[in-house]
Amino acid sequence: MPRISSIDSRRSIVNQKIPILKIKDYLIVPIQVDMDDRLALQLQMDILKQIEKCNSRGVIIDISVIDMVDSYLGRILGDTARMAGLMDARVVIAGMQPAVAITLVELGLGLEGVYTALNLEAAISLLEELLDKDAA
Amino acid sequence: MNSDYRIEEQDKIEILEEKDVVVCRQACRNWAKRMNFNLIDQTRITTAVSELARNIQEYAGQGEVQIQIVEKDMRRGLRIIFIDHGPGIKNIKLAMSEGWTSHRGMGMGLPGAKRLMDEFALESEAGKGTTVTTCKWLPL
Ligand SMILES: Nc1ncnc2c1ncn2[C@@H]1O[C@H](COP(=O)(O)OP(=O)(O)OP(=O)(O)O)[C@@H](O)[C@H]1O
Ligand SMILES: [Mg+2]
């Protein structure tokens, strides 16, 4: 009976910090690792702090390499968008894979009220549009 | 019920801490990949595993996940069984209902995982523990 060593696979998920890049007035958050719950919660806090520090009006969370969004991560993404909204910043979730979108809806989570875009470029256009509207 | 499944191969993963939820869902995806499940089914399985392994971690503290390649009626499937000896579930019907949570969750884990898998059976006794048996079949 083969036994996958948890120790070996555990090493591959060392607690990496997710980078938050500032580009012009926007924050870009490329999530590149399979996050455990603690790391996801940490990221939520880091994004809110960074919004405050940089006075950002727009945040793009790029999940194009994420191969699974469960109820926990889904809730974190939705909550982050709403919390950022209270701080007068808009959040766009970019690049959700088709299989992830299908599974998320089947799971019962629609991410209602959260802005999404097909890719980074579309996310930036959407943010510009939203912020223009806010300014008008 | 168990007797008509022929187990081709099996493994188990212990859930002891939060990180093991990630380890477990990644391992199950690898099994699903190896069995040639399509990408959507791989994602369904991984997501269901994440929900059920997290429930073990969250409500029972620890437990184990058994992963089996099974055969039944000429079909091959990935059977994943989540076992803990935690507090158990008093009202299974309530726990299985959409949106019901005893904590601060969204109450989606159990009903969502049931939708994502082909087979789903929850056995639980208050004070003794919980076993959730799930299976996804390869298309014929
Ligand atoms: N292994 C378990 N042991 C004891 N109780 C459990 C277990 N799994 C689920 N439960 C109970 O069933 C309820 C519903 O579980 P479910 O996973 O559907 O939702 P949740 O965990 O509360 O929220 P979510 O999964 O959406 O974050 C839980 O709140 C908990 O009370
Ligand atoms: Mg749950």
Side-chain angles (χ1 to χ4, degrees):
Chain A
M1 194 191 328
R3 178 114 174 59
I4 297 169
S5 158
S6 309
I7 303 299
D8 285 349
S9 23
R10 217 176 265 154
R11 237 174 246 140
S12 65
I13 37 169
V14 279
N15 260 341
Q16 284 155 290
K17 223 173 149 70
I18 311 293
I20 301 178
L21 315 171
K22 183 178 180 304
I23 295 174
K24 290 189 186 166
D25 293 331
Y26 302 136
L27 296 178
I28 301 190
V29 188
I31 303 180
Q32 309 271 3
V33 294
D34 194 350
M35 298 184 291
D36 68 20
D37 294 356
R38 203 167 308 175
L39 187 55
L41 199 60
Q42 178 68 48
L43 177 62
Q44 174 177 77
M45 201 39 152
D46 290 348
I47 290 173
L48 297 177
K49 279 190 191 146
Q50 216 50 30
I51 290 172
E52 187 191 24
K53 193 173 149 206
C54 303
N55 257 318
S56 311
R57 302 288 317 281
V59 180
I60 299 171
I61 304 178
D62 183 358
I63 60 165
S64 55
V65 301
I66 294 298
D67 61 14
M68 182 234 51
V69 174
D70 60 13
S71 67
Y72 189 85
L73 184 53
R75 182 175 56 204
I76 292 274
L77 291 174
D79 284 353
T80 305
R82 279 182 290 275
M83 290 167 180
L86 293 174
M87 298 171 69
D88 205 22
R90 303 283 202 166
V91 172
V92 176
I93 310 288
M96 186 182 294
Q97 293 174 15
V100 174
I102 290 168
T103 304
L104 202 54
V105 168
E106 286 176 356
L107 184 66
L109 209 90
L111 283 185
E112 283 84 8
V114 176
Y115 291 104
T116 53
L118 220 42
N119 52 43
L120 259 184
E121 208 178 337
I124 290 176
S125 308
L126 176 57
L127 268 184
E128 282 171 348
E129 208 179 288
L130 289 171
L131 296 179
D132 276 354
K133 235 187 250 164
D134 286 350
Chain B
M1 173 194 172
N2 278 7
S3 54
D4 38 341
Y5 292 86
R6 199 176 63 79
I7 299 172
E8 285 177 16
E9 208 181 312
Q10 62 181 330
D11 190 12
K12 67 172 186 224
I13 290 179
E14 270 172 304
I15 305 292
L16 300 171
E17 51 167 335
E18 217 172 78
K19 277 189 179 58
D20 294 327
V21 175
V22 179
V23 170
C24 183
R25 72 185 179 219
Q26 286 177 353
C28 289
R29 179 181 285 270
N30 286 335
W31 281 68
K33 244 187 219 165
R34 191 153 67 77
M35 289 177 72
N36 284 324
F37 276 102
N38 68 35
L39 186 61
I40 297 177
D41 276 343
Q42 285 176 33
T43 310
R44 288 185 176 117
I45 292 165
T46 311
T47 308
V49 168
S50 186
E51 296 297 341
L52 298 172
R54 174 179 297 106
N55 279 355
I56 290 181
Q57 208 273 322
E58 214 172 317
Y59 303 116
Q62 57 183 66
E64 88 173 31
V65 178
Q66 297 179 354
I67 309 167
Q68 307 172 340
I69 297 179
V70 293
E71 200 209 272
K72 185 191 171 192
D73 303 332
M74 310 281 280
R75 292 190 83 172
R76 285 182 88 221
L78 183 59
R79 187 154 76 143
I80 310 174
I81 307 173
F82 304 81
I83 303 164
D84 70 62
H85 302 288
I89 300 173
K90 276 206 199 84
N91 189 336
I92 293 183
K93 211 171 159 193
L94 195 59
M96 283 303 298
S97 62
E98 206 75 39
W100 188 84
T101 177
S102 64
H103 287 61
R104 284 149 291 146
M106 287 191 296
M108 316 198 89
L110 292 174
K114 184 177 181 183
R115 273 193 296 274
L116 293 172
M117 300 298 281
D118 295 329
E119 287 178 20
F120 183 101
L122 194 161
E123 292 162 87
S124 187
E125 202 177 322
K128 291 232 169 108
T130 302
T131 298
V132 183
T133 305
T134 67
C135 189
K136 191 88 186 166
W137 298 107
L138 279 169
L140 280 172

